[in-house]
Amino acid sequence: PGRDAAAKAHALLQSHFSRRPVASADLRADRDAAVEASVALLQALVDVVSSNGWLAPALHAMELSQMVVQGLWHDDPPPLQVPHVDAATLARAAARGARLDQVFDVAALDDDVRDAVLALDPARTADVANFCNDYPNVELRYSVLDADAVVAGEPVALSVTLEREVDDDMQDVGLVRAPRFPARKREGWWLVVADVAKNALLAVKRVSVARAADVRLDFVAPRAPGAASLTLYFMSDCYLGVDLQYEFTLEVRPSE
């Protein structure tokens, strides 16, 4: 019975990612329950794998959370998150020479092109506009504190500043727009410091960004002196196409 339940949940989640209808109201209810429960399970999974310093499984779990919330596969075009935008919409855009690679590309279309590409009534066009207005646009700045005094095997602090572009007409900043998710959800983000070459997660912190946030990430410097190539990730738990990634070099002095 346990294997049967797992197989059913797996199949229902795949139908959710593929946006395929299910045959009955009972199956729809079961799928909604599986989808809603998956977010908390994935957050717990991130905590577990992060505590072991495993980078790749943590990033995969974060991407899977985005898939669950938006009902898409991780390699689907991000504009498919926008309400009423589908493969036919992207094809109409391509026929007009417009590339819709990101959600912001939808908002940037000229009015006449957008009307022809979307082919929607005013109410549904407003849905598109509301999603694009609320879709997060976050600027990230970072610096290593006391970067000239990093010692092998000793604590290091990374300061991160997050600033979100917020329009005056945004009514509930941080409320996720996800028409295929069966519950209300607030945005969540992860900041991760990693040594990609070693598949090592050095630090992780879960944050929220309403307008701005200052975050400190503490981790231990590599034990080998010299230049260490590290990566800072900023990962969403609910939107595709908004993650940020920065590579930086840590100059590590030998310990005395």
Side-chain angles (χ1 to χ4, degrees):
R3 289 194 296 270
D4 291 344
K8 178 181 178 181
H10 189 205
L12 290 174
L13 286 172
Q14 290 198 55
S15 73
H16 176 63
F17 302 146
S18 299
R19 297 189 168 183
R20 293 182 177 177
V22 291
S24 70
D26 287 343
L27 282 176
R28 286 193 295 273
D30 289 346
R31 183 170 67 179
D32 286 349
V35 167
E36 185 174 355
S38 293
V39 171
L41 291 173
L42 287 166
Q43 290 178 8
L45 179 60
V46 170
D47 291 343
V48 171
V49 297
S50 297
S51 67
N52 287 279
W54 300 334
L55 175 62
L59 296 179
H60 290 326
M62 294 171 189
E63 291 177 343
L64 184 53
S65 180
Q66 300 170 9
M67 292 164 52
V68 166
V69 174
Q70 293 297 334
L72 287 170
W73 294 98
H74 71 93
D75 54 356
D76 281 331
L80 293 181
Q81 298 170 101
V82 180
H84 319 302
V85 170
D86 56 18
T89 309
L90 302 185
R92 287 194 296 271
R96 288 179 166 265
R99 292 181 58 90
L100 298 185
D101 295 324
Q102 298 295 332
V103 169
F104 296 119
D105 296 333
V106 178
L109 290 171
D110 292 337
D111 291 346
D112 56 337
V113 175
R114 183 168 58 247
D115 291 343
V117 167
L118 295 177
L120 298 172
D121 59 44
R124 293 185 177 186
T125 300
D127 292 340
V128 172
N130 290 333
F131 184 97
C132 293
N133 286 340
D134 288 351
Y135 189 70
N137 184 9
V138 180
E139 179 183 348
L140 184 153
R141 299 188 301 277
Y142 68 93
S143 62
V144 178
L145 301 182
D146 297 323
D148 295 333
V150 176
V151 178
E154 296 295 325
V156 184
L158 187 73
S159 175
V160 179
T161 298
L162 303 165
E163 293 184 1
R164 179 183 189 137
E165 183 177 313
V166 178
D167 293 334
D168 293 337
D169 58 353
M170 294 176 67
Q171 297 181 356
D172 196 347
V173 178
L175 178 66
V176 178
R177 289 190 177 271
R180 295 179 181 272
F181 191 70
R184 285 172 58 90
K185 186 185 181 319
R186 308 296 302 184
E187 292 174 9
W189 304 81
W190 289 281
L191 280 165
V192 176
V193 177
D195 185 334
V196 176
K198 296 180 179 178
N199 192 30
L201 189 153
L202 306 180
V204 61
K205 185 166 288 189
R206 188 162 170 82
V207 299
S208 60
V209 185
R211 293 178 180 269
D214 292 312
V215 184
R216 173 176 166 141
L217 291 164
D218 296 298
F219 60 99
V220 176
R223 297 192 177 277
S229 297
L230 303 181
T231 303
L232 173 64
Y233 295 92
F234 181 56
M235 302 287 294
S236 171
D237 74 347
C238 54
Y239 288 111
L240 282 72
V242 295
D243 301 334
L244 302 175
Q245 178 178 336
Y246 301 89
E247 297 180 357
F248 65 99
T249 300
L250 203 63
E251 296 294 340
V252 182
R253 295 183 176 182
S255 57
E256 297 180 357

